Amino acid sequence: MTDILDDLAWRDLIAQSTDLDELRARLAEGPVTLYCGFDPTAPSLHLGHLIQIFTLRRFQQAGHRPLGLVGGATGLIGDPSGKSAERVLNSEETVAGWVERLRAQISRFLVFDDSPTSATMVSNLEWTGQMSAIEFLRDVGKHFPVNRMLARETVKARLDTTGISYTEFSYVLLQSLDFLELHRRYGCALQTGGSDQWGNFTAGVDLIRRVEGASAHALTTPLLTKADGSKFGKTAGGETYWLDPELTSPYAFYQFWINADDRDIEMYLKVFSFRPREEIEDLVKQGADRPAARAPQRALAEEMTTLVHGADETARVIAASRALFGQGALEELDERTLRSALAEVPRAEISPGELPTVADLLAATGLCKSKSEARRAIAQGGAYLNNAKVEAEDFAPSAEDLLHDRYLVLRRGKRNVGGIEVSAS
């Protein structure tokens, strides 16, 4: 059986643990049931959630049994961890819909079969929804000293600023109850998640000890920060990269990994790739020896896009990425893929009718600062329309040049790409 803890340590995926030596001994005895929780605070999971989903996947591949918990109950409350103000409470109908969407997203990465390590998906509304307030206070609340709850860093930070409601103050009790119930129902002995959840995890371990007299474990992964100091999984403008293709296109998802900073790529490969260690180390070496080739970025982009969106979508995305830079036929791209690709480059929208000159279009997209600069680029042989070199400074495309009757692809030099969309009439 694979030593999962050694593997996680090599990947720098262990931030905190209740007792690593004791956990290692327990894992060596045979399959361990573990869980990770995901609250439905949006209609989709994002890149950051993949760290936890993939941790469950790694444990399953190492011979253990993962439980994926979607917070049908805790999603109605809101976790105060890492938040400077109260979350907006969503309706029960909204949360229920998000639960099903998240359940489907998580399920794609785990194996469900008849084996002892088969994954199971659960919602904490199954047990919390049936519990009365009196039962909750008697059976759970009595095990939580208020002075200890007030001493938690999350609570202290909020008390010193915006304050905290009893709703979010009680979140730790609900998450601890989850661990206790999963311990009772499935023999769950380990909870995993991000390091910002450490206080919630240890509270659950303590509740199991107090109520059941049993030992349990908690293991957290570090919160990732990019080399430039920005938060992992965010765009430069602060937008989130979602797993749902309707919220973040597969093309944009692929480009996130392709554009990864050379300083971050080794970390990304360790955290996200399922390639063997030797292959990862070889990709890191290739990146160091020939950074311009971006071999590790390309390998990870293909692997991740395939995992999240499937091989067919990945093939379309790679074809679009190549075609945009003159290495493939733009005419062969389907409209959805082309539209997604152009959404990631400088672009402009024009009205229907007679099309402006390429010089005008280059200036409109910002590929050239002015029309005169655009003319110079054309004269120097550095301007392209739909990957064909533009020869005349006053050349204007016709309706026949429009891809899918709506789009034009402009390029200045080898790497600067822009898009034009003709607005609907």
Side-chain angles (χ1 to χ4, degrees):
M1 186 176 291
T2 303
D3 191 324
I4 181 64
L5 294 184
D6 284 347
D7 183 57
L8 293 178
W10 176 75
R11 296 176 186 278
D12 297 319
L13 277 173
I14 298 178
Q16 301 145 308
S17 173
T18 43
D19 190 322
L20 268 181
D21 291 335
E22 186 179 319
L23 177 58
R24 188 184 300 276
R26 177 65 187 84
L27 293 168
E29 293 174 4
V32 166
T33 300
L34 69 149
Y35 97 96
C36 183
F38 305 85
D39 274 348
T41 56
S44 172
L45 298 172
H46 54 69
L47 273 185
H49 290 114
L50 285 178
I51 301 169
Q52 307 313 328
I53 298 173
F54 285 4
T55 298
L56 288 180
R57 182 183 174 106
R58 294 186 198 283
F59 268 98
Q60 186 175 38
Q61 291 179 340
H64 303 286
R65 182 191 184 192
L67 306 174
L69 182 147
V70 182
T74 44
L76 293 168
I77 299 302
D79 181 5
S81 301
K83 299 295 179 182
S84 60
E86 291 276 326
R87 292 178 182 267
V88 175
L89 296 181
N90 297 295
S91 70
E92 292 185 25
E93 294 75 14
T94 296
V95 171
W98 291 352
V99 164
E100 293 309 311
R101 294 181 65 153
L102 268 58
R103 186 194 297 267
Q105 287 183 334
I106 297 166
S107 296
R108 294 206 306 270
F109 302 99
L110 303 175
V111 176
F112 298 82
D113 54 24
D114 296 325
S115 72
T117 61
S118 176
T120 301
M121 293 298 300
V122 297
S123 168
N124 53 23
L125 195 60
E126 294 173 21
W127 50 86
T128 310
Q130 308 302 317
M131 182 176 284
S132 71
I134 295 298
E135 288 176 316
F136 180 69
L137 293 172
R138 282 178 57 86
D139 298 341
V140 181
K142 67 179 180 180
H143 296 292
F144 286 80
V146 171
N147 60 331
R148 187 179 302 172
M149 294 175 68
L150 289 171
R152 298 176 69 230
E153 289 301 322
T154 296
V155 174
K156 287 197 298 183
R158 289 280 289 275
L159 289 175
D160 291 340
T161 54
T162 59
I164 187 170
S165 70
Y166 180 76
T167 300
E168 290 197 359
F169 184 63
S170 66
Y171 184 92
V172 63
L173 278 70
L174 292 171
Q175 191 175 119
S176 299
L177 174 62
D178 290 346
F179 202 174
L180 175 61
E181 280 297 321
L182 294 175
H183 177 79
R184 287 169 169 169
R185 297 176 182 220
Y186 300 95
C188 184
L190 171 64
Q191 182 178 11
T192 62
S195 58
D196 60 333
Q197 294 290 309
W198 180 245
N200 292 333
F201 289 8
T202 54
V205 168
D206 187 58
L207 182 63
I208 291 172
R209 178 186 61 80
R210 288 171 178 262
V211 176
E212 299 292 319
S215 63
H217 300 274
L219 182 74
T220 68
T221 60
L223 301 180
L224 298 191
T225 302
K226 294 190 286 187
D228 62 9
S230 62
K231 189 173 182 179
F232 169 77
K234 298 283 187 179
T235 66
E239 298 174 358
T240 300
Y241 284 90
W242 303 98
L243 304 190
D244 187 326
E246 298 302 318
L247 298 177
T248 296
S249 72
Y251 185 88
F253 186 88
Y254 179 85
Q255 290 298 316
F256 172 84
W257 304 103
I258 283 289
N259 295 324
D261 192 312
D262 290 336
R263 297 170 295 174
D264 292 323
I265 193 61
E266 181 176 1
M267 173 183 70
Y268 289 173
L269 283 165
K270 287 183 175 181
V271 171
F272 296 103
S273 178
F274 286 88
R275 285 178 163 84
R277 178 173 176 173
E278 296 76 14
E279 191 173 337
I280 291 174
E281 290 173 340
D282 180 62
L283 282 169
V284 171
K285 184 176 185 302
Q286 289 182 50
D289 292 344
R290 296 181 59 208
R294 304 188 74 73
Q297 283 91 337
R298 295 182 185 282
L300 187 59
E302 182 171 352
E303 180 180 5
M304 291 298 297
T305 309
T306 300
L307 278 169
V308 174
H309 296 296
D312 290 345
E313 195 66 67
T314 302
R316 284 191 285 269
V317 164
I318 292 175
S321 183
R322 291 176 57 83
L324 244 61
F325 295 97
Q327 299 174 331
L330 289 165
E331 296 79 6
E332 295 178 4
L333 303 180
D334 64 88
E335 184 175 0
R336 183 175 66 87
T337 302
L338 178 61
R339 181 174 64 250
S340 297
L342 293 182
E344 303 304 312
V345 300
R347 61 194 185 279
E349 185 174 310
I350 62 175
S351 301
E354 186 175 350
L355 296 172
T357 66
V358 169
D360 288 322
L361 296 175
L362 285 169
T365 59
L367 292 179
C368 293
K369 294 179 181 179
S370 64
K371 189 173 179 179
S372 58
E373 183 178 87
R375 288 199 188 99
R376 287 196 297 274
I378 295 171
Q380 294 166 1
Y384 299 81
L385 174 73
N386 294 346
N387 287 336
K389 183 181 289 187
V390 178
E391 303 289 351
E393 296 179 21
D394 60 352
F395 174 77
S398 66
E400 287 71 29
D401 292 311
L402 292 173
L403 301 167
H404 299 289
D405 299 320
R406 192 168 185 177
Y407 304 99
L408 296 170
V409 176
L410 300 168
R411 181 158 47 89
R412 181 183 182 186
K414 292 182 177 181
R415 303 299 303 172
N416 299 308
V417 174
I420 295 294
E421 179 178 356
V422 178
S423 61
S425 55

